[in-house]
Amino acid sequence: METVSLEANFDAKLTRNEMIEPKDWMPDNYRKHLIRQISQHAHSEIVGMLPEGNWITRAPSLRAKIVLLAKVQDEGGHGLYLYTAAETLQISREELLDQLHTGKAKYSSIFNYPTLTWADIGAVGWLVDGAAIMNQVMLQRTSYGPYARAMVRICKEESFHQRQGYEIMCRLAFGSQEQKEMAQDALNRWWWPSLMMFGPPDANSPNSANAIKWKIKRESNDQLRQRFVNQTVPQAEFLGLSVPDKELKWNDAKGGYDFGTPDWNEFENVIHGNGPCNKERLAARVEAHDKGRWVREAAAVFAAKKKGMDKAA
Amino acid sequence: MESKDTQGILWEIFVQKKPGQPFVHCGSLHAFDKEMALQNARDLYTRRGEGSALWCVPSSAIVASSPEDVGPFFDSSNDKVYRHPTFYQIPEGVKHI
């Protein structure tokens, strides 16, 4: 009886478009869904620092270097916003990190692709951050308060990320022939994985129904993917680059582009650990965590010692 | 040393945009002591000049009303319409009041 009324109350709140806050009653599956989604999102931010970090020491100018440093620092910050949002759902930071390090939790499969040239840094900012923003703009209105508020902060900061990426693409696309080829090569390699970032097609997406029902997501994977294609293709045309999709064609009737199907077998493969960089990425995270252990231990001992001194004084 | 691999305690961070304005909650973070909490808060929440001052409060020190009590807890103020200026009638022609 009691449970029924709590659940009815929860549903009524969602219907009224009110946010759910940490101390509100929520169905256990809503909590689990959010922990999975928010932690996956947090891990993606942190692991996402790695492919870009790869180019910090080799950025082609001092300006490019400070910009890339600032961007990678932002990604670290975004991870921290999201971890603390996840922690409001009764899971500890240690557990969250442990799930990442043991491979139990996933992160966006896009970060398992390598950044081979400087043009990849442009393509990542333009396409990968562009796709992430599309998703995150929607999540600003997600039903869970702490997640929505973290998204508002993140979206404010992300727009510089996409613009700096497009700026790099402009420099290369309007540069020498060799530079233009490098830009085209990066677009060729990042286009399809970027489309995959929105997740499997709606018909085949195991978590989508609940996410929509609970207003965690307001739009479906396919809707977001379509919008991304509509916005991005003209940007590629401006650069004079071609999108690597033979089926891509403007469809007047729907007011959007028709486009080909991503290779979902590849998607499954990368998600299940067989992408080009899965092992390297995870190993780098585990190593960073292990190497930081002495810092955490020293900080804990120092804090305890200072507390003792405060009491004695 | 035998220790749980801890992240430090949780702190709630409040940012004041400009002097004179109220402090607004912006999120939380982990830190081991007050000094580290302040430094982390600066690095995490004010990377773009968002603030002129910061408060860091251990999360455990915050006392919050519970959502179930919203009705009864705040009820008592709803029936006191005489707390609002519009409750009072002022004769026409009287100005600046």
Side-chain angles (χ1 to χ4, degrees), chain A residues 241-259:
Chain A
L241 301 178
S242 53
V243 173
D245 179 357
K246 287 195 182 81
E247 292 172 54
L248 187 76
K249 209 175 95 206
W250 177 257
N251 180 333
D252 232 357
K254 76 171 180 185
Y257 289 90
D258 291 331
F259 55 98

Side-chain angles (χ1 to χ4, degrees), chain B residues 55-84:
Chain B
W55 284 351
C56 304
V57 184
S59 301
S60 58
I62 292 197
V63 184
S65 63
S66 63
E68 302 90 67
D69 298 344
V70 170
F73 193 71
F74 295 103
D75 235 8
S76 59
S77 65
N78 288 341
D79 55 359
K80 295 179 178 60
V81 284
Y82 46 86
R83 283 176 175 166
H84 295 281

Side-chain angles (χ1 to χ4, degrees), chain B residues 3-53:
Chain B
S3 86
K4 190 174 167 252
D5 191 0
T6 166
Q7 305 283 322
I9 65 162
L10 198 63
W11 301 72
E12 299 302 323
I13 312 305
F14 299 78
V15 175
Q16 185 189 41
K17 231 175 175 174
K18 286 180 187 152
Q21 290 189 350
F23 284 73
V24 178
H25 182 247
C26 64
S28 37
L29 53 76
H30 287 269
F32 287 90
D33 56 30
K34 297 174 187 175
E35 201 183 340
M36 191 186 278
L38 264 180
Q39 285 170 351
N40 287 358
R42 177 200 58 198
D43 292 346
L44 190 55
Y45 289 108
T46 61
R47 281 199 301 281
R48 289 173 174 78
E50 290 93 334
S52 61

